[in-house]
Amino acid sequence: MHLRTDLNNFGVNCENQKGDELVTTYKCTYSDYNKLPDIQLTVESDPHDPKSTKKGFILPKESYMEETSPGVGKMKILPSDINFGKESSSAYWVMGAIFLHNYYSIYDFKEMKMGLVEANISWIYLRFRINGVLGFW
């Protein structure tokens, strides 16, 4: 997934804000905040195992974009083209605080496993609860 390209398809244009901040930030323009897409991530337990399981997770627009004024927002995630795996074609994401705000994370260091469970109060829950939708998807 190339986040910047995918968001451009929804009319979102972001530029790196050069400044004195220690963290890179992107100022984005768009026509309608309410039409920004949710980002769906699919996590696979082991891509090299044919019996591997996959699970989908949603990162709602409220988690990755902060509207600062009508048509203008600040992207709260940092898109990067850096490859983190062994192969040069690896496509890994570092799922940090912005993602984990919506999920509880459980770590089993002995078995080298990680579990994710949707938090009771998250942007996903609040949006669906407010809109009266009963399902996760």
Side-chain angles (χ1 to χ4, degrees):
M1 172 184 197
H2 297 294
L3 183 61
R4 285 178 272 194
T5 304
D6 291 343
L7 286 175
N8 280 340
N9 293 336
F10 283 90
V12 178
N13 296 304
C14 298
E15 60 184 53
N16 188 347
Q17 295 295 108
K18 305 286 186 205
D20 295 332
E21 295 182 26
L22 295 174
V23 179
T24 302
T25 58
Y26 286 86
K27 179 181 178 183
C28 303
T29 57
Y30 41 79
S31 60
D32 187 351
Y33 177 79
N34 292 319
K35 292 184 180 177
L36 292 178
D38 292 340
I39 298 172
Q40 183 169 346
L41 304 170
T42 302
V43 177
E44 189 170 3
S45 59
D46 183 354
H48 302 292
D49 182 357
K51 296 179 183 177
S52 178
T53 58
K54 294 181 182 182
K55 172 73 177 154
F57 296 94
I58 293 176
L59 186 61
K61 68 178 174 285
E62 294 88 353
S63 289
Y64 71 85
M65 186 73 70
E66 176 184 345
E67 187 167 41
T68 56
S69 63
V72 180
K74 180 173 96 174
M75 188 179 297
K76 299 192 294 185
I77 57 176
L78 178 59
S80 174
D81 296 327
I82 297 172
N83 291 322
F84 290 101
K86 294 178 184 175
E87 300 94 27
S88 62
S89 63
S90 62
Y92 294 96
W93 275 51
V94 176
M95 296 186 293
I98 298 300
F99 175 81
L100 292 173
H101 282 187
N102 294 297
Y103 298 94
Y104 290 107
S105 54
I106 305 159
Y107 303 92
D108 182 345
F109 293 105
K110 184 178 178 183
E111 298 294 323
M112 297 181 63
K113 293 181 181 181
M114 182 182 89
L116 295 170
V117 178
E118 183 182 350
N120 285 336
I121 300 298
S122 68
W123 282 112
I124 298 167
Y125 173 82
L126 290 175
R127 182 188 323 156
F128 288 161
R129 182 80 172 154
I130 290 168
N131 293 334
V133 176
L134 299 176
F136 179 76
W137 304 103

